[in-house]
Amino acid sequence: MPNEAPDPTADVRERPAADDVRRIYLQKDGPMLVEGPVEVQLEDGGVATSDRFRVALCTCRRSRRYPWCDTSHRRRRRDR
Amino acid sequence: MSDEPTGPMLPQDRGPVSAAMIGALRDGGPPAVGEAAATADPYGDDLQLALYVAYELHYRGFAGVDPAREWDPELLRVRAVLERRFLDALRADATAHESATAALDDLLVEPVGGDGVPHVLERSGTRSQLREYAAQRSLYHLKEADPHAWVLPRLWGRAKAGMAAVEFDEFGGGRAERVHAQLFADLMADLGLDTTYGRYVEAAGAEMLAVVNLMSLFGLHRALRGALVGHFAAVEVTSSPASRRLAGAMRRAGAGPAAEFFYDEHVEADAVHEQVVRHEVVDGLLAVEPHLERDVAFGIDATGFLDDRFGERLLSAWQAGESSLRRAIELDLVRVP
């Protein structure tokens, strides 16, 4: 089946997923959320595994616990 | 009904209100509080300990106290007066945002070169400061995720499913040895602390009691479900970066593998929990009950306000070269494990 064009008005969180579909949540300023458990094949070899119900995969490449998000994507501010 | 055979000991009172509450539990009679409850400092040791003791009846109770007193109307009447004073003070002093999004956005920015307790412990924390921190925080962590479970019957749909999923993780995903409260007990053992539930209540000042009382207050009242969700969101959003610093502090001080693991686990777990709580629990609750928006914001603000007060107590004591614990048990804690 070919890819379907994105529907800009839909929100899957308000309806159940089909049994054979794994839901992934993308966001501009944050990790990719994937329903677990997962195995992640790393580019330089090696596999990271997690049995959490959901995992947060780093997309900014700043995480010190890559491939898992450690919130290093957050904006930083000098005051306070 | 028979008295609890085991459990924490009743603590020493810290003034007339806590004396009345503790005396009532010890003697089996009603609390003779008089006017003191209506005038006590809402953040002070006396009121906060009285509230802590009243709430503890809903968790594990006290050795020698009839467990049925959890629902004693006389105790609940006094508790309600104390809660009103605490809540009124917090609404006046802590409220800073009108929307959940605005309150969370402020937490999602990391200060550069911050000067909070995790920053200080990471840079220069001594083993004895880590022990003081863990002893006081044990009042929270040995109840970790417990009062938050009380909100589950009051949620529905996405909010309920998201909350239950995060709680499942907090409670070890079905494995007793992975329950976060157990992981904290393991950390305490690494630091040579006594892991007995309630052991460090006497060591904790009013600021730490207030942190624990806040989550009990929000958890026990359905009317405050929005504030409980806001509180939980604030905890999860701030936990991951703080845990990374505290893991570094434990490593630098050579605290031990369990001490490092507790915070390492929270770096990754809470990076996920933050996302689920914001997108499923907060958004899910407000989609169904939009009128709770200000309550969610209040829960976030009140959590930050009380955490900051606790942090200030620690840092001001340490800067003065003193212990942050209440003086009474200082010697007990420096005993070599």
Side-chain angles (χ1 to χ4, degrees), chain B residues 183-204:
Chain B
L183 298 181
F184 194 81
D186 297 343
L187 169 149
M188 293 174 76
D190 264 2
L191 286 170
L193 296 171
D194 186 341
T195 63
T196 307
Y197 181 89
R199 169 66 182 77
Y200 294 111
V201 171
E202 301 284 12

Side-chain angles (χ1 to χ4, degrees), chain B residues 99-166:
Chain B
S99 82
T101 305
L104 286 172
D105 280 353
D106 272 358
L107 294 182
L108 287 167
V109 180
E110 271 298 292
V112 176
D115 52 7
V117 170
H119 293 85
V120 169
L121 288 176
E122 182 184 35
R123 281 198 297 267
S124 61
T126 63
R127 184 175 163 87
S128 96
Q129 287 172 342
L130 294 177
R131 283 160 57 89
E132 286 182 20
Y133 179 76
Q136 292 172 88
R137 289 288 306 172
S138 73
L139 273 66
Y140 172 94
H141 288 293
L142 295 181
K143 287 183 170 70
E144 190 164 326
D146 285 346
H148 310 100
W150 285 325
V151 85
L152 285 169
R154 297 143 188 183
L155 301 177
W156 195 246
R158 275 167 58 199
K160 190 189 200 74
M163 191 75 197
V166 174

Side-chain angles (χ1 to χ4, degrees), chain B residues 43-325:
Chain B
Y43 305 118
D45 270 298
D46 190 28
L47 184 145
Q48 290 297 330
L49 183 65
L51 209 43
Y52 180 89
V53 168
Y55 286 145
E56 193 56 40
L57 299 171
H58 298 283
Y59 293 95
R60 302 211 192 173
F62 294 99
V65 173
D66 180 352
R69 301 209 66 195
E70 180 182 0
W71 301 107
D72 180 328
E74 293 299 318
L75 294 174
L76 292 175
R77 191 183 57 74
V78 173
R79 194 188 88 187
V81 174
L82 305 179
E83 286 177 323
R84 177 49 56 194
R85 281 191 66 70
F86 187 32
L87 206 47
D88 285 351
L90 286 171
R91 287 205 191 270
D93 300 338
T95 302
H97 299 90
E98 299 207 338
S99 82
T101 305
L104 286 172
D105 280 353
D106 272 358
L107 294 182
L108 287 167
V109 180
E110 271 298 292
V112 176
D115 52 7
V117 170
H119 293 85
V120 169
L121 288 176
E122 182 184 35
R123 281 198 297 267
S124 61
T126 63
R127 184 175 163 87
S128 96
Q129 287 172 342
L130 294 177
R131 283 160 57 89
E132 286 182 20
Y133 179 76
Q136 292 172 88
R137 289 288 306 172
S138 73
L139 273 66
Y140 172 94
H141 288 293
L142 295 181
K143 287 183 170 70
E144 190 164 326
D146 285 346
H148 310 100
W150 285 325
V151 85
L152 285 169
R154 297 143 188 183
L155 301 177
W156 195 246
R158 275 167 58 199
K160 190 189 200 74
M163 191 75 197
V166 174
E167 286 283 89
F168 183 66
D169 229 24
E170 297 282 348
F171 292 137
R175 284 171 297 191
E177 71 279 9
R178 297 287 296 270
V179 175
H180 284 186
Q182 178 61 50
L183 298 181
F184 194 81
D186 297 343
L187 169 149
M188 293 174 76
D190 264 2
L191 286 170
L193 296 171
D194 186 341
T195 63
T196 307
Y197 181 89
R199 169 66 182 77
Y200 294 111
V201 171
E202 301 284 12
E207 295 83 356
M208 186 63 225
L209 295 177
V211 167
V212 178
N213 286 338
L214 183 77
M215 65 178 183
S216 302
L217 168 67
F218 290 167
L220 283 166
H221 291 269
R222 190 182 74 86
L224 295 171
R225 64 194 177 284
L228 187 283
V229 163
H231 157 76
F232 197 52
V235 168
E236 297 292 356
V237 166
T238 53
S239 167
S240 187
S243 294
R244 189 175 69 222
R245 298 192 176 96
L246 290 167
M250 294 295 166
R251 248 184 290 284
R252 205 172 47 73
E260 290 178 24
F261 180 73
F262 177 82
Y263 289 113
D264 280 338
E265 162 67 11
H266 281 75
V267 173
E268 289 175 14
D270 293 345
V272 177
H273 294 175
E274 170 216 321
Q275 300 288 338
V276 177
V277 173
R278 281 167 54 219
H279 298 307
E280 306 294 335
V281 184
V282 172
D283 290 356
L285 174 68
L286 294 179
V288 180
E289 300 195 274
H291 58 283
L292 295 179
E293 177 88 44
R294 291 174 77 108
D295 279 355
V296 175
F298 168 65
I300 297 165
D301 287 340
T303 302
F305 177 77
L306 292 179
D307 282 349
D308 286 350
R309 292 182 92 255
F310 174 61
E312 282 157 20
R313 175 182 176 121
L314 297 186
L315 295 177
S316 63
W318 292 341
Q319 276 155 16
E322 293 166 3
S323 165
S324 62
L325 304 176

Side-chain angles (χ1 to χ4, degrees), chain B residues 2-9 62-67:
Chain B
S2 59
D3 294 348
E4 299 276 4
T6 60
M9 305 299 290
F62 294 99
V65 173
D66 180 352

